[in-house]
C-alpha cells in the first residue's frame, strides 16, 4: 500500500520506472491500523490529476488547490490571505522567525511553535537531540499555507506536540527554491502529487521519510488531522525507526536514478524542425478554440507556450501550421486581455482564471507573470501590428512601475489575492480589492450621457461594456466560498464599436467615457484596504521583469521604459551582486525604514538567478547598445558555468551540486509558470557566442540541449522554451550590425526598423566606429563594416558572411523578412 499524506494532486516530473518504484517503498512500515488506512483514500473532493500535456499544471505553478464538487463537477477557487488586524495587538507568542526578513516566515513568527529557519542551527539541534525534523514549506501569498497556519500552527495543543517532539523548520519556497525542489520531488514521487503548503518529515540528517501537503488540524471523517499524523509519526519514530529510515533511503536512491538528466555517449542534437513540429502538434491538441488557452478550466497564461507558437510561426509563415500557431497565440492573448484575469482598473494580470472564459481569476498577482506577459504582448504587437497588444504591454509595465517597484529600482514579488473588504472588516475575502457591486458603480457614475440612447448614464454604458449585473456576474460554481456573491469581476463583453452603436455615440466618445469611468473606479480602490504586498526582491524574477521593460521599451522606442530597465539592472548590480565573492545573491528585502536590507547570511544565487539575469542583460544590451550590460552578462555566464555546469552529463544543475544539505542534484525539465533555467541558458549561450565571438558557447548550448534530448523528442510540450533554443540552433542566428553614430537619426531609424519586427533568431549590435571598444575587440570583423556614403548602414550577416549593406529602413525590412 502507498502512503499518501495530506491533499495530494498527481503531477508528472520525469516519468521513470525508478520513480514508480519509489512510491512502493513509502509507508512499508505501516500496518492496517496505521496512517495508510486514512491516507490512501484521497480526501473527498480533490482531483486525481490535472495533466497539462504530459506535465501537471500544479508541477509548473506555485499554487495550492481547493476543490469543490457540485453535481459531479469539480470547481476550483484559490485565495491568498496574510496577516490580519489581530497582528497589531501584543502577540501572545514570539519565536525566532521574528528575526527573519521573509514575509512568509514573519507570518509564522507568533505561532506557539518553536520554529527554526532552514540552517545549521536547526540541523545541529536535530542531531544533538536525535529528533525527527518537521519541514513546512510555503510562500506568503499561498491560501492554504495561511489556512494551515491559522488552523494548526496557531493551535496551542498542536504547537506543543510539534515543539516537544520535532525540530520544526519553516521555509519560504521563493527564498529557498533549492530546498523546495528536492522535497517536492520526494512528495510527488511518493504520493503522486504535490502542492503548498508542503509538509515533510525528515531524519536528523535531512533524509525524508514521509511527506504530504495540507493537513486539517484534526480528523474529519476519513481525513487525517495533523494531530493524528504527528502522534502516529512519533510512535513510529520510537518503535519502528529503522524501517522508516531505510524506506526513505530507498526512495532517495530511486529518485537519484529517476531524476538524472544527462547526454548519452554519441548522442546528437535533436532535429529542430521535428521537435518544433511535435511541440506544435501537442499544443494544438490541448488548445481550446473558443476562448483560447490550453485545456479547460482552470486556465493559466502560459507565456512559454505563446512565445513558442509565435516563434514557430516566424519560421513557418507560408504554411497552414504556422498560420494556425499564430492564430492560437494571438487569440489567447486577446481573450486574456479582454477577460477578468486582466485588471481593467489597476492594470496587470492576475495569476490565472478559474473558468474557461478568463473571467473569474485567482486575484493574486505575481511578478514573474508580469515580466513574461509584457514580452508576450509586445511580441504579439510585432507580429500583428495590432495596437491592443502594445497597449496591454504598456499597461502591465504601468502596474509594475506603480505597485511592484521599490525606490531602489528593484521589483517586489507579489500581491495577495485576499484583502479586507472594508477598513473595519475582521476577515479577508478573495478579490475584495478588485470587485464591484452594481450599486457602487451606479453611485459612482450617475451622470446622464448627452446624446446617448434612452437617456443612458455613464454607469449604464460602463456596466453594459464590462458585463456588470445587478445580482453580480460571478457564477456560484466559481465562488464556492460565497466570497464574491453579488459582486462583479469586470470583463469586456463587447467591442467598442458594438457598445458605441448600442448607445448611439461615437467610438471616440465611448473611449473617453470608459477611460474616465476606470479612473474614477481606480480612485475608489485606492481607499480600500490593500492586499498584502510581498516586498521580497528576487534576482531571478527581477531578471524576467528587466527583460519585460527592455523588450517593450525597444519595440515602442520608449526611452522612459528603457531608463526604468537600466535602473533595474543597476539595482541588481548594487544590491544582488556580491563583488567580493563574485556571485549573485538570490534575494533582498524592503526593511521597515523602506531601505533595501539583506539577511545576515545572504542566500547565494541559484541557476534561475544567473540565467534570468543574463537574459535580461542581453535584452537590455540589444535595447540600449550599452556595452556594460553585455560585459556583465558575459561575466555572469562564466560564473554560472563554474558553479552549475555538469561536466559529466552536460546541462546545468538547479543549485550548487556541492551543497551537502541538498540530497538531490536536480536539473529542471519543465517550462512552467517560469521557463526552466536550462531552457533560458541554451539561448543565452547562443546569443553570447554571436555577440562576443566565443564559439565555445555554441558547443555548450548544443551539449545542454543534447542532455535533454529524450524529453525534447518525446514530450517537447513540457519544454516549449527549450524547443525555441533547438530551433535557434537549426536556423542559426542572424547578426544584424548597424554602423553609425549612436545618437544620429538615421542610426535610430535602422535600429527602430529591426525592433519593429519579431525576429526570434537574431542578435542586434551597433558598430559605432570605436575600435578600442569591447565589441570591436571581441569581433574584429566589425572593423571591416563601415557606413556607406556617410549614412548609417545595416549589415545582415550569418556567421559573419554578410548580405549587401543597406541604408534605407524599408530595404532593411525587406531583407530581414526574406
Amino acid at each position: 500500500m502507498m502512503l499518501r499524506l495530506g491533499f495530494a494532486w498527481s503531477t508528472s516530473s520525469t516519468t521513470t520506472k525508478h520513480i514508480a518504484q519509489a512510491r512502493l517503498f513509502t509507508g512499508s512500515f505501516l500496518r492496517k491500523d496505521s496512517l495508510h488506512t486514512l491516507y490512501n483514500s484521497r480526501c473527498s473532493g480533490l482531483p486525481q490529476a490535472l495533466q497539462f500535456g504530459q506535465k501537471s499544471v500544479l508541477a509548473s505553478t506555485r499554487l495550492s488547490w481547493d476543490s469543490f464538487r457540485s453535481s459531479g463537477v469539480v470547481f476550483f477557487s484559490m485565495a491568498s490571505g496574510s496577516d490580519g488586524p489581530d497582528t497589531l495587538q501584543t502577540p501572545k507568542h514570539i519565536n525566532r522567525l521574528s528575526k527573519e526578513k521573509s514575509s512568509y516566515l514573519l507570518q509564522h513568527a507568533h505561532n506557539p511553535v518553536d520554529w527554526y529557519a532552514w540552517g545549521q542551527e536547526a540541523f545541529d539541534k536535530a542531531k544533538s537531540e536525535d529528533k525527527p525534523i518537521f519541514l513546512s514549506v510555503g510562500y506568503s501569498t499561498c491560501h492554504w499555507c495561511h489556512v494551515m497556519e491559522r488552523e494548526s500552527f496557531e493551535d496551542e495543543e498542536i504547537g506543543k506536540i510539534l515543539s516537544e517532539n520535532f525540530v520544526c523548520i519553516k521555509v519560504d519556497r521563493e527564498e529557498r527554491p533549492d530546498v523546495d525542489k528536492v522535497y517536492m520531488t520526494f512528495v510527488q514521487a511518493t504520493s503522486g502529487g504535490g502542492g503548498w503548503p508542503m509538509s515533510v518529515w525528515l531524519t536528523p540528517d535531512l533524509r525524508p521519510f514521509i511527506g504530504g501537503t495540507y493537513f486539517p488540524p484534526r480528523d474529519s471523517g476519513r481525513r487525517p488531522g495533523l494531530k493524528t499524523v504527528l502522534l502516529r509519526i512519533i510512535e513510529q519514530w520510537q518503535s519502528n525507526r529503522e524501517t522508516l529510515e531505510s524506506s526513505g533511503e530507498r526512495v532517495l536512491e530511486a529518485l537519484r536514478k529517476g531524476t538524472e538528466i544527462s547526454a548519452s555517449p554519441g548522442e546528437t542534437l535533436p532535429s529542430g524542425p521535428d521537435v518544433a513540429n511535435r511541440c506544435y502538434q501537442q499544443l494544438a491538441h490541448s488548445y481550446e478554440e473558443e476562448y483560447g488557452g490550453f485545456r479547460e478550466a482552470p486556465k493559466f497564461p502560459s507565456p512559454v507556450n505563446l512565445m513558442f507558437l509565435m516563434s514557430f510561426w516566424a519560421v513557418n509563415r507560408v504554411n497552414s501550421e504556422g498560420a494556425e500557431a499564430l492564430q492560437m497565440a494571438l487569440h489567447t492573448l486577446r481573450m486574456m486581455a479582454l477577460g477578468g484575469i486582466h485588471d481593467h482598473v489597476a492594470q496587470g494580470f492576475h495569476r490565472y482564471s478559474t473558468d474557461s472564459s478568463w473571467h473569474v481569476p485567482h486575484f493574486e498577482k505575481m511578478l514573474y507573470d508580469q515580466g513574461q506577459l509584457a514580452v508576450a504582448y509586445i511580441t504579439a504587437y510585432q507580429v500583428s501590428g495590432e495596437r491592443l497588444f502594445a497597449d496591454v504591454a504598456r499597461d502591465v509595465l504601468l502596474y509594475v512601475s506603480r505597485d511592484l517597484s521599490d525606490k531602489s529600482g528593484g521589483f517586489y514579488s507579489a500581491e495577495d489575492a485576499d484583502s479586507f473588504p472594508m477598513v473595519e472588516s475582521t476577515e479577508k475575502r478573495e478579490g475584495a480589492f478588485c470587485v464591484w457591486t452594481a450599486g457602487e458603480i451606479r453611485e459612482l457614475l450617475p451622470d446622464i450621457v448627452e446624446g446617448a440612447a434612452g437617456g443612458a448614464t455613464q454607469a449604464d454604458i460602463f456596466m453594459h461594456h464590462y458585463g456588470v449585473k445587478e445580482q453580480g456576474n460571478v457564477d456560484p460554481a466559481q465562488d464556492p466560498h460565497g466570497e464574491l456573491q453579488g459582486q462583479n469581476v469586470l470583463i469586456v463583453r463587447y467591442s467598442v464599436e458594438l457598445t458605441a452603436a448600442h448607445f448611439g455615440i461615437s467610438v471616440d466618445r465611448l473611449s473617453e467615457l470608459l477611460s474616465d469611468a476606470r479612473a474614477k473606479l481606480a480612485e475608489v480602490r485606492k481607499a480600500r484596504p490593500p492586499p498584502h504586498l510581498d516586498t521580497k526582491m528576487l534576482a531571478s524574477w527581477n531578471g524576467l521583469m528587466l527583460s519585460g521593460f527592455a523588450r517593450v521599451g525597444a519595440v515602442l522606442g520608449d526611452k522612459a521604459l528603457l531608463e526604468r530597465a537600466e535602473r533595474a539592472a543597476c539595482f541588481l548590480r548594487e544590491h544582488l551582486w556580491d563583488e567580493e565573492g563574485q556571485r549573485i545573491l538570490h534575494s533582498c528585502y524592503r526593511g521597515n525604514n523602506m531601505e533595501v536590507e539583506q539577511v545576515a547570511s545572504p542566500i547565494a544565487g541559484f541557476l534561475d538567478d544567473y540565467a534570468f539575469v543574463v537574459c535580461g542583460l542581453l535584452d537590455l544590451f540589444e535595447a540600449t547598445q550599452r556595452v556594460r550590460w553585455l560585459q556583465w552578462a558575459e561575466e555572469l555566464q562564466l560564473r554560472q558555468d563554474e558553479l552549475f555546469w555538469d561536466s559529466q552529463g552536460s546541462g546545468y544543475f538547479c543549485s550548487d551540486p556541492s551543497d551537502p544539505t541538498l540530497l538531490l542534484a536536480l536539473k529542471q525539465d519543465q517550462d512552467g509558470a517560469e521557463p526552466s533555467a536550462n531552457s533560458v541558458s541554451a539561448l543565452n549561450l547562443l546569443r553570447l557566442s554571436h555577440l562576443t565571438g566565443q564559439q565555445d558557447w555554441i558547443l555548450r548550448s548544443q551539449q545542454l540541449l543534447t542532455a535533454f534530448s529524450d524529453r525534447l523528442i518525446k514530450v517537447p510540450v513540457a519544454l516549449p522554451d527549450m524547443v525555441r533554443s533547438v530551433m535557434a540552433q537549426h536556423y542559426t542566428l542572424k547578426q544584424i550590425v548597424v554602423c553609425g553614430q549612436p545618437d544620429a537619426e538615421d542610426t535610430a531609424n535602422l535600429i527602430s526598423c529591426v525592433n519593429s519586427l519579431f525576429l526570434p533568431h537574431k542578435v542586434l549590435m551597433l558598430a559605432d566606429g570605436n575600435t578600442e571598444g569591447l565589441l570591436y575587440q571581441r569581433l574584429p570583423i566589425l572593423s571591416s563594416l563601415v557606413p556607406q556614403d556617410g549614412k548609417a548602414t545595416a549589415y545582415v550577416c550569418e556567421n559573419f558572411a554578410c548580405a549587401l549593406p543597406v541604408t534605407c529602413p524599408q530595404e532593411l525590412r525587406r531583407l530581414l523578412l526574406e
Side-chain angles (χ1 to χ4, degrees), residues 559 738-755 766 790-794 807-810 812:
K559 291 184 178 179
V738 174
C739 300
Q741 293 303 307
D743 298 326
E745 184 179 355
D746 54 357
T747 301
N749 289 339
L750 290 175
I751 290 176
S752 178
C753 171
V754 177
N755 287 331
L766 172 65
K791 299 178 181 178
T793 304
T807 58
C808 171
Q810 288 74 26
L812 177 58

Side-chain angles (χ1 to χ4, degrees), residues 69 119 396 672:
R69 292 190 183 275
V396 169

Side-chain angles (χ1 to χ4, degrees), residues 61-194:
T61 53
R62 343 180 144 255
L63 306 172
S64 302
W65 293 95
D66 174 17
S67 69
F68 297 83
R69 292 190 183 275
S70 173
S71 304
V73 179
V74 179
F75 304 111
F76 305 93
S77 176
M78 275 140 272
S80 302
S82 61
D83 38 319
D86 57 329
T87 57
L88 298 177
Q89 303 170 5
T90 302
K92 182 179 179 181
H93 302 278
I94 189 166
N95 58 54
R96 59 181 57 76
L97 295 186
S98 63
K99 299 177 181 178
E100 297 295 321
K101 302 293 185 186
S102 157
S103 294
Y104 178 64
L105 269 55
L106 288 170
Q107 287 165 358
H108 295 76
H110 302 300
N111 297 158
V113 178
D114 188 19
W115 288 117
Y116 286 79
W118 180 267
Q120 198 60 47
E121 183 183 6
F123 309 153
D124 291 343
K125 179 180 173 68
K127 288 181 179 178
S128 65
E129 298 182 7
D130 198 31
K131 286 181 178 178
I133 292 170
F134 171 59
L135 174 66
S136 177
V137 183
Y139 57 103
S140 76
T141 56
C142 155
H143 170 62
W144 284 104
C145 302
H146 298 310
V147 172
M148 194 165 175
E149 190 262 341
R150 222 168 29 240
E151 293 178 340
S152 295
F153 302 143
E154 290 182 2
D155 184 285
E156 297 282 350
E157 183 183 15
I158 290 175
K160 185 177 181 184
I161 295 171
L162 281 167
S163 300
E164 291 181 355
N165 298 279
F166 301 88
V167 174
C168 303
I169 299 179
K170 177 61 71 173
V171 167
D172 181 341
R173 72 172 301 269
E174 294 167 358
E175 195 176 54
R176 291 305 303 255
D178 54 336
V179 176
D180 176 67
K181 283 186 176 81
V182 168
Y183 294 105
M184 185 60 74
T185 300
F186 170 83
V187 171
Q188 289 174 341
T190 55
S191 72

Side-chain angles (χ1 to χ4, degrees), residues 505-705:
I505 57 178
S506 70
V507 168
D508 288 345
R509 178 67 175 131
L510 173 68
S511 297
E512 290 174 7
L513 287 167
L514 294 178
S515 177
D516 176 69
R518 289 194 302 270
K520 289 176 180 176
L521 266 64
E523 285 301 310
V524 170
R525 272 177 59 165
K526 287 180 183 177
R528 293 176 175 176
H532 162 72
L533 178 66
D534 188 336
T535 56
K536 175 172 69 261
M537 291 171 272
L538 303 175
S540 55
W541 296 1
N542 272 258
L544 291 173
M545 204 65 242
L546 171 57
S547 286
F549 276 92
R551 294 279 292 273
V552 176
V555 173
L556 300 181
D558 189 319
K559 291 184 178 179
L561 295 181
L562 294 179
E563 287 171 3
R564 182 65 186 89
E566 291 208 275
R567 282 188 62 217
C570 290
F571 158 81
L572 285 162
R573 183 87 193 198
E574 181 178 355
H575 295 288
L576 288 171
W577 173 245
D578 174 8
E579 186 71 41
E580 183 179 350
Q582 288 291 292
R583 60 174 184 164
I584 284 182
L585 303 177
H586 175 62
S587 56
C588 60
Y589 309 83
R590 188 184 76 184
N592 293 331
N593 60 356
M594 305 301 286
E595 299 295 331
V596 176
E597 294 182 353
Q598 187 54 265
V599 292
S601 299
I603 301 168
F606 305 108
L607 177 63
D608 285 8
D609 298 307
Y610 285 84
F612 295 173
V613 171
V614 168
C615 181
L617 292 171
L618 292 177
D619 288 335
L620 183 58
F621 164 70
E622 291 199 49
T624 64
Q625 292 301 314
R626 294 201 168 111
V627 174
R628 61 180 294 202
W629 305 125
L630 173 62
Q631 190 167 6
W632 193 31
E634 186 179 15
E635 292 170 4
L636 292 181
Q637 186 63 57
L638 288 168
R639 192 71 176 117
Q640 176 184 319
D641 292 351
E642 292 174 10
L643 291 171
F644 305 108
W645 181 253
D646 179 6
S647 58
Q648 301 299 315
S650 298
Y652 293 99
F653 292 111
C654 294
S655 53
D656 182 356
S658 66
D659 187 340
T661 67
L662 300 178
L663 305 178
L664 298 173
L666 297 173
K667 299 173 188 173
Q668 189 177 349
D669 63 350
Q670 291 183 350
D671 295 323
E674 304 163 53
S676 84
N678 271 287
S679 297
V680 174
S681 294
L683 194 52
N684 286 349
L685 290 164
L686 201 57
R687 293 171 74 184
L688 277 166
S689 71
H690 284 73
L691 289 167
T692 66
Q694 297 294 319
Q695 297 300 304
D696 289 350
W697 274 332
I698 295 179
L699 176 61
R700 176 149 293 188
S701 179
Q702 292 170 347
Q703 292 171 333
L704 185 162
L705 295 170

